[in-house]
């Protein structure tokens, strides 16, 4: 390892090739070790790898990379973000209770509300933008406070240190879904969080080509426990996808920085547009979590949400936008527009959704790498059509 102190942007490029195997060959890319099993040296002395569910050199390089980027000691790669999240939740036991942010990714909501109760693990949702509300939800058997910040899809901000302090005072763990920020912009382990989780399908891979999840721990004992679950549950990431993800991580610095600059411009444009009722972006000083986010993260990131008056105007806007992809997901090189009510948050019943501010006019936008002037021109023409629709139906 070099003795030059690297910035995270540099580590994105260098971290994956620190292992022995690359130093032997000089390959600048970690090879894809397409092997399920490994020949053992002798009858009673085994090598570092035996079977790829338990460990694979390509996956290992990825796991070490994410551990380094997050400032942890152990990284784990899973077959999807939700596999990482559900595997981490398997650290809980029957009789345990968790408090979870009410603004949470729909798939996490589904696992917590429909799967965990069958194993005797109970939950309470709380408004994590208000630490007092979280405290009120803690019970004697609470073992975990589950954070997502910025949260999906309204970009709500949790004060990470306040929740970590609550967790420590109540002998609980904290998990944090860091998908929207990536370690480049927010490092929750440095703030005392126990497990950082990612849908690496998003910014980390960056090309909308793979489904992957990552988890990182700092504490050795917790890392061993999660490693045991990863092997027992078996939802590991394959070698080919581990390779793709390592390649994606290398370009993330440039991607995220361009997309974020564009997101800031788009947020300002939308904020002054008469048809837009609300812009939700932690980079706007009007955002309720603006100051807390600025304290705990380096940047507002490349995802924003905004509200049109109703379903009809949202529909007209979506149907007339030409450049972005209308799809679930985020974090790709292409801008992705999604409609949380029927996409990412479809697993949440309508009544619950509305209570959480996921209205029929809410759209989420993940800014890609297209030229920002083109994106704004496209938004402009689609919003004119949406405004006309609104006037015609006299809403
Ligand atoms: C914030 C967040 N967490 C977790 C997930 C789940 O990840 P995956 O789709 O990779 O399973 C998603 C997916 O949209 C997400 O947006």
């Amino acid at each position: 390892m070099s003795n030059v102190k690297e910035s995270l942007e540099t580590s994105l490029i260098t971290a994956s090739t620190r292992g022995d195997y690359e130093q032997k060959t000089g390959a600048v890319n970690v090879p894809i070790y397409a092997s399920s099993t490994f020949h053992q040296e002798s009858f009673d002395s085994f090598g570092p790898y035996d079977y790829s569910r338990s460990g694979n050199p390509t996956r290992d390089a990825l796991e070490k990379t994410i551990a380094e980027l997050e400032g942890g000691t152990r990284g784990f790669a899973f077959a999807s973000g939700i596999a990482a999240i559900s595997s981490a939740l398997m650290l809980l036991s029957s009789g345990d209770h968790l408090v979870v942010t009410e603004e949470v990714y729909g798939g996490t909501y589904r696992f917590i509300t429909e799967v965990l109760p069958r194993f005797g693990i109970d939950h309470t949702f709380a408004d994590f933008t208000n630490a007092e509300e979280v405290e009120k939800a803690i019970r004697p058997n609470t073992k975990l406070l589950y954070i997502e910040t910025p949260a999906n899809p309204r970009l709500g901000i949790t004060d990470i240190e306040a929740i970590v302090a609550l967790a420590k005072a109540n002998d609980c763990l904290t998990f944090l879904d860091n998908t929207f920020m990536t370690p480049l912009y927010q490092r929750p382990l440095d703030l005392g969080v126990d497990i950082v989780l990612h849908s690496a399908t998003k910014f980390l891979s960056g090309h909308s080509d793979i489904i992957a999840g990552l988890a990182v721990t700092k504490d050795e004992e917790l890392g061993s426990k999660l490693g045991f679950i990863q092997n027992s549950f078996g939802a590991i990431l394959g070698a080919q996808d581990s390779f793709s993800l390592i390649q994606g991580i290398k370009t993330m610095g440039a991607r995220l920085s361009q997309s974020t600059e564009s997101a800031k411009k788009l947020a300002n444009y939308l904020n002054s547009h008469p048809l837009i009722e609300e812009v939700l972006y932690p980079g706007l000083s009007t955002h309720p979590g603006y100051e807390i986010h600025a304290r705990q993260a380096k940047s507002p990131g490349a995802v924003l949400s905004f509200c049109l008056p109703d379903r009809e105007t949202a529909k007209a806007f979506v149907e007339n936008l030409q450049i972005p992809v209308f799809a679930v997901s985020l974090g790709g090189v292409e801008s992705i527009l999604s409609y949380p009510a029927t996409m990412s948050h479809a697993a949440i019943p309508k009544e619950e959704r509305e209570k959480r501010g996921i209205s029929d006019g809410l759209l989420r936008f993940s800014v890609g790498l297209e030229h920002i002037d083109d994106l704004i021109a496209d938004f402009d023409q689609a919003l004119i059509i949406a405004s006309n629709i609104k006037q015609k139906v006299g809403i």
Side-chain angles (χ1 to χ4, degrees), residues 98-169:
L98 71 144
V99 183
V100 54
T101 172
E102 61 189 11
E103 194 184 352
V104 72
Y105 167 65
T108 309
Y109 175 95
R110 178 169 49 215
F111 191 78
I112 289 173
T113 57
E114 296 196 35
V115 180
L116 288 185
R118 292 201 280 108
F119 297 89
I121 300 163
D122 203 2
H123 61 270
T124 304
F125 285 103
D127 174 5
F128 271 54
T129 62
N130 180 346
E132 280 169 23
E133 291 297 311
V134 179
E135 187 166 20
K136 276 192 223 152
I138 295 175
R139 299 183 193 163
N141 60 338
T142 303
K143 294 286 162 54
L144 170 67
L145 306 183
Y146 187 99
I147 310 166
E148 200 179 297
T149 185
N152 198 358
R154 291 184 54 88
L155 288 300
I157 302 298
T158 297
D159 182 337
I160 301 173
E161 283 174 301
I163 302 299
V164 165
L166 266 183
K168 293 208 187 315

Side-chain angles (χ1 to χ4, degrees), residues 78-85 104-108 146 148-152 177-180 197-202 210-214 328-330 344-345 364:
F78 294 89
S80 65
I82 205 68
I85 292 167
V104 72
Y105 167 65
T108 309
Y146 187 99
E148 200 179 297
T149 185
N152 198 358
D177 185 331
N178 204 23
T179 299
F180 278 30
L197 298 158
H198 287 282
S199 170
T201 311
K202 312 290 164 29
I210 59 162
I211 299 282
L214 296 168
V328 288
S329 205
L330 56 105
S344 53
H345 291 68
R364 189 188 72 195

Side-chain angles (χ1 to χ4, degrees), residues 307-346:
C307 291
L308 283 157
D310 47 44
R311 188 180 179 280
E312 279 60 44
T313 36
K315 183 169 183 279
F317 172 70
V318 170
E319 286 177 350
N320 287 284
L321 208 58
Q322 291 167 22
I323 297 173
V325 176
F326 180 56
V328 288
S329 205
L330 56 105
V333 292
E334 57 291 292
S335 289
I336 302 177
L337 178 69
S338 64
Y339 188 54
T342 55
M343 290 180 165
S344 53
H345 291 68

Side-chain angles (χ1 to χ4, degrees), residues 168 172-175 189 192-196 216-219 222:
K168 293 208 187 315
C172 300
L173 292 175
T174 39
F175 294 180
L189 296 178
V193 164
D194 295 295
I195 301 187
V196 176
V216 187
T217 54
K218 195 172 213 165
D219 178 79
L222 189 60

Side-chain angles (χ1 to χ4, degrees), residues 2 58 60 63 66 129 179 199 206 349:
S2 99
T58 316
D60 212 21
E63 292 177 332
I66 193 64
T129 62
T179 299
S199 170

